Amino acid sequence: MAVRPIAKLGEPVLRQVAAKVEERSFGSGELGSLVTDLIDTMRAATGAGLAAPQIGVPLAVCVMEVKANSRYPSFPELPLTVLVNPVVTALSSDALQGSRIAIYEGCLSVPGLRGRVIRPARVQLSARSPEGEPIERTVEGVEAAILQHEVDHLFATVFVDRAEPKTLTFMDEYARYVPERERVVWLD
Ligand code: NI
């Protein structure tokens, strides 16, 4: 296990599309070590999620977990989730009805900044476990937003690319000026 340094915005690895994990790597010690490092680093930094490019590894692997998170007190608890080669699809019926969620997101690669991002509130997730078992499920709400944020990292996208520019705020100002009720909002 190891807590690894986190790549900050400007590091080229964050702007590189992550490669898919190859079939022969499932169940391998190498993939297992990467997952352990991601979990250790996420927990040490109090992240709600972390993607492999953020620790300098351009592979399609990410982890998520929320347990009374001090960086995101408005978030519901979310069990530890490990995803390899995840693909997320917005559920089209919801997209048509405009069911979206707006969250002031932050990112360990963009320390100190928050900004409001609007995302589909319900998505279909297809992924594999590190052992190669298929994962297929519908994900909703805050979990769907965290999932999309992490999967974005695998496609060279950071939340500031999607945030409404005029909502960008530093942490102290966020704490002062963004009321609790505006931090996580369901739209429509
Ligand atoms: Ni992030």
Side-chain angles (χ1 to χ4, degrees), residues 21-57:
V21 170
E22 291 177 21
E23 211 49 52
R24 62 182 164 77
S25 300
F26 286 100
S28 69
E30 201 180 347
L31 182 57
S33 301
L34 171 61
V35 168
T36 305
D37 288 358
L38 279 169
I39 295 168
D40 292 345
T41 307
M42 170 179 69
R43 287 177 175 166
T46 335
L50 194 67
Q54 293 182 275
I55 58 167
V57 179

Side-chain angles (χ1 to χ4, degrees), residues 49 54 106-109 149-150 153 158-159:
Q54 293 182 275
C107 181
L108 295 172
S109 294
H149 176 117
E150 298 314 324
H153 276 299
V158 179
F159 87 95

Side-chain angles (χ1 to χ4, degrees), residues 5 8 17-18 42 49 63 71 83-84 110 117 120 139 160 177 185 188:
K8 303 297 192 300
V17 175
M42 170 179 69
V63 297
R71 288 179 66 243
L83 301 172
V84 180
V110 192
V117 182
V139 179
V160 287
Y177 300 116
V185 179
D188 307 312

Side-chain angles (χ1 to χ4, degrees), residues 114-142:
R114 291 283 165 100
R116 195 172 94 139
V117 182
I118 298 173
R119 299 183 184 271
R122 206 151 73 92
V123 296
Q124 181 65 35
L125 164 66
S126 299
R128 307 277 294 275
S129 75
E131 292 72 38
E133 291 137 17
I135 297 167
E136 291 282 342
R137 62 187 173 95
T138 301
V139 179
E140 293 185 332
V142 172

